[in-house]
Amino acid sequence: MAYPAPPASRASKRSRVQDSSSSGSDMSITPDGRSHTIERYRVGIPALQLLPMLSIDPPPSLPAVSKVREFMPKIVQILREKNIDFDEDVSAENLTFFISARWTSDENAQSWYDAAKDIRGLFLSHSLTRPIKVELLSWQLIIPRVIGVVEDSHPLVAAWPSINPRIHTIIDEYPKLKNGWRSIDVLRIGYRTDEFRSTPVTISVTVDWDLNRVDWMHAEQRIEAILNSAGLSDVEVEFERGEINQTAFPLHKPTRASGLGGHIVEDYPQRLPMGSNFGPDKYFRAGHNGPLVHGPFATIGGYLEMRVNGGPVKKYAVACYHCVREAIEGFAYIEAPGPYKEIIKADVPHGSLLKLTDKNGMGPGMLQERRATTFEAPSRRAHNFTLQYHDQKIEQLKVDITLDPGIPENHQLLAEHVASKARKIKFFDDGRHRLGNLYLCSGYRRRTSKNGIIDIALLEIDEARMGNNRVPDKSAWRSDFDAPSAACGSLLEDMASCDPQSLLGRRVYKVGARTGATTGRINHVKSDVNMDWNAQEGMGFSTEYCFVADPNTLARRITDRGDSGAFVFTNGRKWIGVAVGGPVKANEPPGGSLVYVTDAEETIKWIQGIGSPGKYQVRLVTS
């Protein structure tokens, strides 16, 4: 049994959706399917909880908890009478009584609904003071899924240019879908790595959290009909709630403990290698009297060099625009109302520098504005969490030494943590964390010639902090990732397109500040992405390359928030793109098995197109 403890980044959305989907009485199933209590693989009375959920055990003194064991024989009897194959391991959520069952076909819906209604009736008949919900949930929504690229030999790849516009036409005919779809991805999606090649190709549509099955059911059926008429009946269609994550790390109060990571074990580097952590060099106040919070941290992907009007060549660090905009005048946070006290972004004021930059970007000519937009490395979020990490280790080692002072390794470890903490504090005290300022950025509305998003920022950083584009050595890759053996320890030497046809199915790699060095492939079908990161500016949808984990990778987590800006490159030491974000879906674990990538060649073309022809000459740093 459990109470909800939803992730802070979605807390207010979850609360709003659950409040709006619940009612005082059970919802019935209508002939046209207009019910919010039934979706594929799950049935709930009176409403469905929003997935995924984090849980903690509730107090055993609650009346509903004490009734569970009493009711178990009757609950089992109800499930068996409805011929439902189920697990006798149950939990509750706010309070929801979850039953893990096995969905074998869509014909299960009625029997599952009847069982859920009867089981809930047991609790309600005893006049419990706390409302209780009942939900049957199939294993497909519980265990992590395995995703992978679609090979270019699959017939959907050739048919996609004609099928894709028809899907958009269908979505546009439903107002909630037209405004609420977030991505259309074409992937192989399954549950077992040993049978992955036989898993179906799936057109996966991500929609906003507050949409319900009734909003997409008919569109889903119409897309399936298009596939059947094209001889692609083996291709599946799924609609799932979710969002497109920026892979800049989320906000946290400076004193908040967290198991999310972010600390740095090694000494802080003076010269920043590929994949380094950075962030704005200040705290933010949430509203007038709210708490101080960290800004997000993100990744310095690598380095470009540029000559302007035939002048000297200068180096610049590469990041994503959405990771630097917090440092621009006009950005602010507020503390949202409600029990979660979520820290959210405030609307951008009209007439502010940020409003202008979101729309048009910022060029080198805005000297005063860009020099006032400053950064540090590591970010103070990483620094504070690193000090907390050392403090915890120091306290634990002191306890261990008190209990058993005869273990010399503990004394040595204690001295190392004390010294490492002191060096890191001195790094900031001496001002060595200062990185530099913004040089130019794209804003939110720039596109490539292929309708890919331009999400780029160049940072003018201190010479003493300047690193290079050297690929980490093999030890940076976990054992379940294949390292780029030919590139490890060497400098990137050129750039190329993300086009999967030119990559010939070969593996590609990235180095991010959050998940480090990971490996995957570029999908043969590009994803349509309808990012809502800045609803005020109306970003519109773009078409993006999709970097996907290998299905045989154990963790299947190739990216997470904090990795935005990471360079993606080949074993042939070619830089092909920048990681910008990826979908987070209702039944996916934290982190990501895929990330959208902006094309390196198209990004360079955009920079070189600023100003008069030939004014900016840009290339990858190769030394």
Side-chain angles (χ1 to χ4, degrees), residues 583-613:
V584 175
K585 304 200 179 193
N587 61 339
E588 293 292 338
S593 297
L594 65 90
V595 64
Y596 302 126
V597 178
T598 62
D599 186 273
E601 288 186 341
E602 292 286 337
T603 299
I604 295 299
K605 286 179 185 177
W606 177 80
I607 297 173
Q608 293 181 151
I610 299 173
S612 58

mmCIF file of all heavy atoms in Angstrom, residues 583-613:
data_model
loop_
_atom_site.group_PDB
_atom_site.id
_atom_site.type_symbol
_atom_site.label_atom_id
_atom_site.label_comp_id
_atom_site.label_asym_id
_atom_site.label_seq_id
_atom_site.Cartn_x
_atom_site.Cartn_y
_atom_site.Cartn_z
ATOM 1 N N PRO A 583 11.300 12.473 -25.135
ATOM 2 C CA PRO A 583 9.982 12.250 -24.542
ATOM 3 C C PRO A 583 10.065 11.484 -23.225
ATOM 4 O O PRO A 583 10.884 10.587 -23.058
ATOM 5 C CB PRO A 583 9.261 11.416 -25.611
ATOM 6 C CG PRO A 583 10.362 10.666 -26.300
ATOM 7 C CD PRO A 583 11.548 11.584 -26.277
ATOM 8 N N VAL A 584 9.220 11.859 -22.296
ATOM 9 C CA VAL A 584 9.012 11.109 -21.058
ATOM 10 C C VAL A 584 7.570 10.657 -21.076
ATOM 11 O O VAL A 584 6.657 11.479 -21.114
ATOM 12 C CB VAL A 584 9.280 11.977 -19.815
ATOM 13 C CG1 VAL A 584 8.929 11.217 -18.550
ATOM 14 C CG2 VAL A 584 10.736 12.396 -19.774
ATOM 15 N N LYS A 585 7.350 9.340 -21.058
ATOM 16 C CA LYS A 585 5.993 8.809 -21.208
ATOM 17 C C LYS A 585 5.523 8.180 -19.912
ATOM 18 O O LYS A 585 6.295 7.884 -19.015
ATOM 19 C CB LYS A 585 5.943 7.805 -22.357
ATOM 20 C CG LYS A 585 6.433 8.408 -23.671
ATOM 21 C CD LYS A 585 5.967 7.638 -24.863
ATOM 22 C CE LYS A 585 6.475 8.293 -26.155
ATOM 23 N NZ LYS A 585 5.807 7.767 -27.342
ATOM 24 N N ALA A 586 4.212 7.973 -19.851
ATOM 25 C CA ALA A 586 3.583 7.574 -18.596
ATOM 26 C C ALA A 586 4.119 6.265 -18.049
ATOM 27 O O ALA A 586 4.215 6.085 -16.842
ATOM 28 C CB ALA A 586 2.072 7.473 -18.787
ATOM 29 N N ASN A 587 4.455 5.317 -18.897
ATOM 30 C CA ASN A 587 4.909 4.034 -18.380
ATOM 31 C C ASN A 587 6.401 3.810 -18.611
ATOM 32 O O ASN A 587 6.863 2.698 -18.781
ATOM 33 C CB ASN A 587 4.124 2.874 -19.013
ATOM 34 C CG ASN A 587 4.292 2.808 -20.512
ATOM 35 O OD1 ASN A 587 4.651 3.788 -21.136
ATOM 36 N ND2 ASN A 587 4.028 1.645 -21.086
ATOM 37 N N GLU A 588 7.156 4.919 -18.634
ATOM 38 C CA GLU A 588 8.600 4.822 -18.788
ATOM 39 C C GLU A 588 9.282 5.153 -17.472
ATOM 40 O O GLU A 588 8.815 6.003 -16.718
ATOM 41 C CB GLU A 588 9.101 5.785 -19.867
ATOM 42 C CG GLU A 588 8.636 5.436 -21.274
ATOM 43 C CD GLU A 588 9.262 4.145 -21.791
ATOM 44 O OE1 GLU A 588 10.316 3.748 -21.284
ATOM 45 O OE2 GLU A 588 8.671 3.535 -22.695
ATOM 46 N N PRO A 589 10.422 4.503 -17.163
ATOM 47 C CA PRO A 589 11.165 4.836 -15.954
ATOM 48 C C PRO A 589 11.865 6.179 -16.103
ATOM 49 O O PRO A 589 11.950 6.718 -17.210
ATOM 50 C CB PRO A 589 12.193 3.695 -15.857
ATOM 51 C CG PRO A 589 12.398 3.269 -17.273
ATOM 52 C CD PRO A 589 11.069 3.441 -17.950
ATOM 53 N N PRO A 590 12.363 6.753 -14.979
ATOM 54 C CA PRO A 590 13.107 8.010 -15.069
ATOM 55 C C PRO A 590 14.301 7.866 -16.021
ATOM 56 O O PRO A 590 14.873 6.800 -16.175
ATOM 57 C CB PRO A 590 13.565 8.255 -13.635
ATOM 58 C CG PRO A 590 12.618 7.479 -12.793
ATOM 59 C CD PRO A 590 12.242 6.269 -13.604
ATOM 60 N N GLY A 591 14.691 8.985 -16.611
ATOM 61 C CA GLY A 591 15.764 8.923 -17.591
ATOM 62 C C GLY A 591 15.172 8.661 -18.961
ATOM 63 O O GLY A 591 13.964 8.655 -19.158
ATOM 64 N N GLY A 592 16.001 8.450 -19.952
ATOM 65 C CA GLY A 592 15.478 8.288 -21.292
ATOM 66 C C GLY A 592 16.222 7.252 -22.096
ATOM 67 O O GLY A 592 17.438 7.120 -22.002
ATOM 68 N N SER A 593 15.459 6.503 -22.928
ATOM 69 C CA SER A 593 16.053 5.566 -23.874
ATOM 70 C C SER A 593 16.215 6.187 -25.251
ATOM 71 O O SER A 593 16.714 5.536 -26.157
ATOM 72 C CB SER A 593 15.184 4.302 -23.979
ATOM 73 O OG SER A 593 15.125 3.625 -22.746
ATOM 74 N N LEU A 594 15.750 7.418 -25.403
ATOM 75 C CA LEU A 594 15.964 8.111 -26.668
ATOM 76 C C LEU A 594 16.070 9.600 -26.400
ATOM 77 O O LEU A 594 15.558 10.124 -25.410
ATOM 78 C CB LEU A 594 14.843 7.809 -27.663
ATOM 79 C CG LEU A 594 13.426 8.269 -27.356
ATOM 80 C CD1 LEU A 594 13.178 9.665 -27.921
ATOM 81 C CD2 LEU A 594 12.427 7.300 -27.949
ATOM 82 N N VAL A 595 16.762 10.287 -27.303
ATOM 83 C CA VAL A 595 16.930 11.737 -27.195
ATOM 84 C C VAL A 595 16.943 12.325 -28.597
ATOM 85 O O VAL A 595 17.438 11.695 -29.543
ATOM 86 C CB VAL A 595 18.227 12.092 -26.428
ATOM 87 C CG1 VAL A 595 19.463 11.610 -27.177
ATOM 88 C CG2 VAL A 595 18.327 13.585 -26.168
ATOM 89 N N TYR A 596 16.352 13.497 -28.745
ATOM 90 C CA TYR A 596 16.355 14.175 -30.037
ATOM 91 C C TYR A 596 17.665 14.931 -30.216
ATOM 92 O O TYR A 596 18.222 15.484 -29.266
ATOM 93 C CB TYR A 596 15.165 15.125 -30.138
ATOM 94 C CG TYR A 596 13.845 14.413 -29.950
ATOM 95 C CD1 TYR A 596 12.930 14.834 -28.997
ATOM 96 C CD2 TYR A 596 13.532 13.291 -30.708
ATOM 97 C CE1 TYR A 596 11.725 14.173 -28.812
ATOM 98 C CE2 TYR A 596 12.339 12.617 -30.530
ATOM 99 C CZ TYR A 596 11.438 13.063 -29.581
ATOM 100 O OH TYR A 596 10.253 12.390 -29.387
ATOM 101 N N VAL A 597 18.144 14.946 -31.458
ATOM 102 C CA VAL A 597 19.467 15.482 -31.770
ATOM 103 C C VAL A 597 19.349 16.484 -32.909
ATOM 104 O O VAL A 597 18.778 16.181 -33.962
ATOM 105 C CB VAL A 597 20.440 14.350 -32.158
ATOM 106 C CG1 VAL A 597 21.809 14.910 -32.522
ATOM 107 C CG2 VAL A 597 20.556 13.333 -31.030
ATOM 108 N N THR A 598 19.896 17.689 -32.700
ATOM 109 C CA THR A 598 19.972 18.657 -33.793
ATOM 110 C C THR A 598 21.205 18.358 -34.640
ATOM 111 O O THR A 598 22.247 17.973 -34.123
ATOM 112 C CB THR A 598 20.057 20.092 -33.257
ATOM 113 O OG1 THR A 598 21.243 20.241 -32.476
ATOM 114 C CG2 THR A 598 18.856 20.417 -32.396
ATOM 115 N N ASP A 599 21.085 18.530 -35.922
ATOM 116 C CA ASP A 599 22.134 18.166 -36.878
ATOM 117 C C ASP A 599 23.293 19.162 -36.828
ATOM 118 O O ASP A 599 23.091 20.377 -36.886
ATOM 119 C CB ASP A 599 21.530 18.133 -38.280
ATOM 120 C CG ASP A 599 22.495 17.625 -39.316
ATOM 121 O OD1 ASP A 599 23.262 18.445 -39.853
ATOM 122 O OD2 ASP A 599 22.509 16.410 -39.579
ATOM 123 N N ALA A 600 24.536 18.659 -36.717
ATOM 124 C CA ALA A 600 25.721 19.515 -36.608
ATOM 125 C C ALA A 600 25.917 20.381 -37.848
ATOM 126 O O ALA A 600 26.172 21.591 -37.750
ATOM 127 C CB ALA A 600 26.964 18.659 -36.365
ATOM 128 N N GLU A 601 25.820 19.786 -39.032
ATOM 129 C CA GLU A 601 26.046 20.547 -40.260
ATOM 130 C C GLU A 601 25.012 21.654 -40.415
ATOM 131 O O GLU A 601 25.343 22.778 -40.814
ATOM 132 C CB GLU A 601 26.009 19.616 -41.471
ATOM 133 C CG GLU A 601 27.222 18.701 -41.576
ATOM 134 C CD GLU A 601 27.231 17.903 -42.864
ATOM 135 O OE1 GLU A 601 26.147 17.785 -43.485
ATOM 136 O OE2 GLU A 601 28.296 17.392 -43.256
ATOM 137 N N GLU A 602 23.749 21.354 -40.093
ATOM 138 C CA GLU A 602 22.699 22.366 -40.205
ATOM 139 C C GLU A 602 22.900 23.480 -39.178
ATOM 140 O O GLU A 602 22.606 24.649 -39.441
ATOM 141 C CB GLU A 602 21.325 21.704 -40.020
ATOM 142 C CG GLU A 602 20.921 20.768 -41.136
ATOM 143 C CD GLU A 602 20.510 21.513 -42.400
ATOM 144 O OE1 GLU A 602 20.114 22.691 -42.295
ATOM 145 O OE2 GLU A 602 20.592 20.923 -43.488
ATOM 146 N N THR A 603 23.385 23.131 -38.000
ATOM 147 C CA THR A 603 23.652 24.140 -36.975
ATOM 148 C C THR A 603 24.746 25.100 -37.441
ATOM 149 O O THR A 603 24.636 26.325 -37.284
ATOM 150 C CB THR A 603 24.060 23.469 -35.656
ATOM 151 O OG1 THR A 603 22.985 22.644 -35.196
ATOM 152 C CG2 THR A 603 24.391 24.496 -34.588
ATOM 153 N N ILE A 604 25.802 24.555 -38.000
ATOM 154 C CA ILE A 604 26.899 25.396 -38.500
ATOM 155 C C ILE A 604 26.403 26.299 -39.628
ATOM 156 O O ILE A 604 26.746 27.489 -39.699
ATOM 157 C CB ILE A 604 28.072 24.523 -38.985
ATOM 158 C CG1 ILE A 604 28.686 23.755 -37.811
ATOM 159 C CG2 ILE A 604 29.128 25.381 -39.679
ATOM 160 C CD1 ILE A 604 29.247 24.635 -36.725
ATOM 161 N N LYS A 605 25.566 25.751 -40.511
ATOM 162 C CA LYS A 605 25.018 26.567 -41.601
ATOM 163 C C LYS A 605 24.222 27.745 -41.042
ATOM 164 O O LYS A 605 24.275 28.852 -41.581
ATOM 165 C CB LYS A 605 24.112 25.705 -42.494
ATOM 166 C CG LYS A 605 24.848 24.740 -43.397
ATOM 167 C CD LYS A 605 23.849 23.935 -44.216
ATOM 168 C CE LYS A 605 24.547 22.875 -45.052
ATOM 169 N NZ LYS A 605 23.562 22.044 -45.803
ATOM 170 N N TRP A 606 23.471 27.498 -39.959
ATOM 171 C CA TRP A 606 22.675 28.583 -39.387
ATOM 172 C C TRP A 606 23.585 29.689 -38.838
ATOM 173 O O TRP A 606 23.341 30.868 -39.070
ATOM 174 C CB TRP A 606 21.761 28.047 -38.288
ATOM 175 C CG TRP A 606 20.992 29.149 -37.625
ATOM 176 C CD1 TRP A 606 19.860 29.751 -38.102
ATOM 177 C CD2 TRP A 606 21.338 29.829 -36.424
ATOM 178 N NE1 TRP A 606 19.466 30.758 -37.245
ATOM 179 C CE2 TRP A 606 20.353 30.827 -36.209
ATOM 180 C CE3 TRP A 606 22.371 29.693 -35.495
ATOM 181 C CZ2 TRP A 606 20.383 31.677 -35.105
ATOM 182 C CZ3 TRP A 606 22.406 30.541 -34.402
ATOM 183 C CH2 TRP A 606 21.416 31.521 -34.216
ATOM 184 N N ILE A 607 24.641 29.304 -38.115
ATOM 185 C CA ILE A 607 25.556 30.314 -37.570
ATOM 186 C C ILE A 607 26.211 31.103 -38.693
ATOM 187 O O ILE A 607 26.315 32.339 -38.646
ATOM 188 C CB ILE A 607 26.629 29.647 -36.678
ATOM 189 C CG1 ILE A 607 25.981 28.958 -35.467
ATOM 190 C CG2 ILE A 607 27.642 30.682 -36.202
ATOM 191 C CD1 ILE A 607 26.958 28.141 -34.632
ATOM 192 N N GLN A 608 26.637 30.410 -39.731
ATOM 193 C CA GLN A 608 27.308 31.086 -40.846
ATOM 194 C C GLN A 608 26.356 31.968 -41.647
ATOM 195 O O GLN A 608 26.792 32.857 -42.381
ATOM 196 C CB GLN A 608 27.977 30.056 -41.755
ATOM 197 C CG GLN A 608 29.138 29.347 -41.083
ATOM 198 C CD GLN A 608 29.850 28.339 -41.969
ATOM 199 O OE1 GLN A 608 31.030 28.085 -41.811
ATOM 200 N NE2 GLN A 608 29.126 27.754 -42.900
ATOM 201 N N GLY A 609 25.051 31.742 -41.475
ATOM 202 C CA GLY A 609 24.070 32.544 -42.190
ATOM 203 C C GLY A 609 23.693 33.820 -41.471
ATOM 204 O O GLY A 609 22.916 34.627 -42.001
ATOM 205 N N ILE A 610 24.238 34.028 -40.245
ATOM 206 C CA ILE A 610 23.967 35.269 -39.521
ATOM 207 C C ILE A 610 24.730 36.418 -40.195
ATOM 208 O O ILE A 610 25.911 36.288 -40.503
ATOM 209 C CB ILE A 610 24.396 35.147 -38.048
ATOM 210 C CG1 ILE A 610 23.625 34.023 -37.342
ATOM 211 C CG2 ILE A 610 24.176 36.460 -37.312
ATOM 212 C CD1 ILE A 610 24.120 33.739 -35.941
ATOM 213 N N GLY A 611 24.072 37.529 -40.384
ATOM 214 C CA GLY A 611 24.766 38.681 -40.958
ATOM 215 C C GLY A 611 25.003 38.527 -42.454
ATOM 216 O O GLY A 611 24.384 37.716 -43.142
ATOM 217 N N SER A 612 25.933 39.291 -42.965
ATOM 218 C CA SER A 612 26.230 39.288 -44.398
ATOM 219 C C SER A 612 26.949 38.001 -44.787
ATOM 220 O O SER A 612 27.606 37.365 -43.960
ATOM 221 C CB SER A 612 27.101 40.498 -44.751
ATOM 222 O OG SER A 612 28.307 40.479 -43.990
ATOM 223 N N PRO A 613 26.854 37.566 -46.049
ATOM 224 C CA PRO A 613 27.513 36.333 -46.495
ATOM 225 C C PRO A 613 29.012 36.358 -46.209
ATOM 226 O O PRO A 613 29.703 37.336 -46.507
ATOM 227 C CB PRO A 613 27.230 36.307 -48.001
ATOM 228 C CG PRO A 613 25.980 37.110 -48.162
ATOM 229 C CD PRO A 613 26.058 38.189 -47.127
#
